[in-house]
Amino acid sequence: MIAALETVGLRKSFGALAATRDVSLRIEAGARHALIGPNGAGKTTLINLLSGVLRPDAGRILLDGADITFLPPHRRARRGMTRTFQINQLFAEMTPLETVALALSERRGLGRRWWRTLAAHADMLDEAAALLARFGLGDAMRLRASVLPYGKQRLLEIAIAIAGGPRVLLLDEPAAGVPEDERHEILSIVAALPDDVAVVLIEHDMDLVFSFARRISVLVDGALFVEGSPEEVARDPGVRQVYLGEARHG
């Protein structure tokens, strides 16, 4: 069976620093896959390679079996890969309804003509409103994005990514900077993402990781250290030493 996303021997260096070292991953269709590791392990570099923000020095990236190693980000998005960022990438003055409608219009090939034809596409507005309601943003869909609480902004960013109709969704720390009382809403939304979308999550919140993931890859110093089910990873003595810090505590 063809993987939704696969990397083969992926490498990236910045001068003498090897940020990603021969990483080979296989993400199945509909996967719930988490990437964890200590600070500096190469997690965000790997996501940047997958999404096309960075080009690898060596190795390949396959999306549904097709080589996308050197495709730019927008062409990867059209083929079914979308992502979120550690820091919001929202249009502050646009409303959630306008922003999600824009993402839907890109998926339909309307591009920058969306604002001229929006009134003629009531079905697109209905789809945008329904998606926002699923993400708990129904009451805020006509507010400017800049006035939304930070947790709602993070949810909006995920909703925009889903509006693109991805086969693979890369979530880079979706709960970063979100107050504790809003993190649970993000957790429930992430857990309820469509079953046909393979989700790759980077997250430091281990409660979120172990509640979400069916498979976990641990990166250390740019290399794949351990991979397995959440139970296998939690039991691994090497993970406890390197990631949980037991080596520092005797």
Side-chain angles (χ1 to χ4, degrees):
M1 183 178 294
I2 297 174
L5 178 64
E6 187 173 5
T7 70
V8 181
L10 211 56
R11 283 189 246 161
K12 181 65 179 179
S13 296
F14 301 98
L17 174 65
T20 305
R21 296 186 292 138
D22 295 315
V23 173
S24 295
L25 288 174
R26 182 180 174 89
I27 310 296
E28 303 294 345
R32 297 294 185 263
H33 200 117
L35 298 175
I36 67 173
N39 290 332
K43 303 182 295 297
T44 295
T45 297
L46 179 57
I47 290 292
N48 285 336
L49 290 169
L50 295 177
S51 61
V53 174
L54 295 174
R55 284 196 170 196
D57 299 325
R60 294 191 300 150
I61 303 168
L62 306 175
L63 180 64
D64 284 331
D67 194 325
I68 62 166
T69 306
F70 298 109
L71 288 185
H74 70 278
R75 291 185 60 188
R76 298 182 195 213
R78 288 174 184 166
R79 286 175 176 248
M81 179 189 291
T82 59
R83 71 169 290 184
T84 65
F85 293 81
Q86 288 180 356
I87 299 173
N88 282 337
Q89 306 286 309
L90 299 174
F91 297 105
E93 298 306 309
M94 291 178 66
T95 69
L97 185 62
E98 291 168 338
T99 307
V100 171
L102 174 59
L104 292 172
S105 73
E106 287 287 343
R107 191 181 79 193
R108 296 185 184 193
L110 298 176
R112 300 189 180 195
R113 295 180 290 117
W114 72 277
W115 59 272
R116 297 179 185 171
T117 58
L118 195 55
H121 291 277
D123 59 327
M124 189 163 64
L125 286 176
D126 290 343
E127 184 178 352
L131 181 58
L132 289 166
R134 280 173 46 201
F135 280 78
L137 294 165
D139 293 338
M141 69 174 65
R142 297 187 185 278
L143 300 176
R144 285 180 292 113
S146 60
V147 306
L148 297 178
Y150 191 65
K152 297 291 187 184
Q153 292 182 9
R154 300 298 284 182
L155 286 172
L156 175 56
E157 190 174 21
I158 300 172
I160 294 166
I162 289 295
R167 291 261 297 126
V168 177
L169 173 61
L170 310 175
L171 296 177
D172 193 352
E173 296 193 44
V178 176
E180 184 64 32
D181 60 346
E182 298 177 34
R183 296 171 77 88
H184 298 291
E185 184 177 14
I186 291 178
L187 173 60
S188 64
I189 293 293
V190 168
L193 288 172
D195 290 337
D196 60 344
V197 178
V199 183
V200 182
L201 172 77
I202 290 179
E203 183 54 61
H204 288 291
D205 185 329
M206 289 298 101
D207 289 337
L208 196 157
V209 167
F210 281 90
S211 296
F212 161 84
R214 296 196 287 263
R215 192 163 186 83
I216 297 175
S217 298
V218 182
L219 294 177
V220 176
D221 293 330
L224 186 60
F225 185 67
V226 170
E227 186 172 278
S229 69
E231 296 76 17
E232 291 169 335
V233 169
R235 289 196 305 264
D236 189 278
V239 172
R240 291 200 297 270
Q241 286 183 346
V242 173
Y243 189 75
L244 301 178
E246 285 191 4
R248 295 195 301 271
H249 299 286

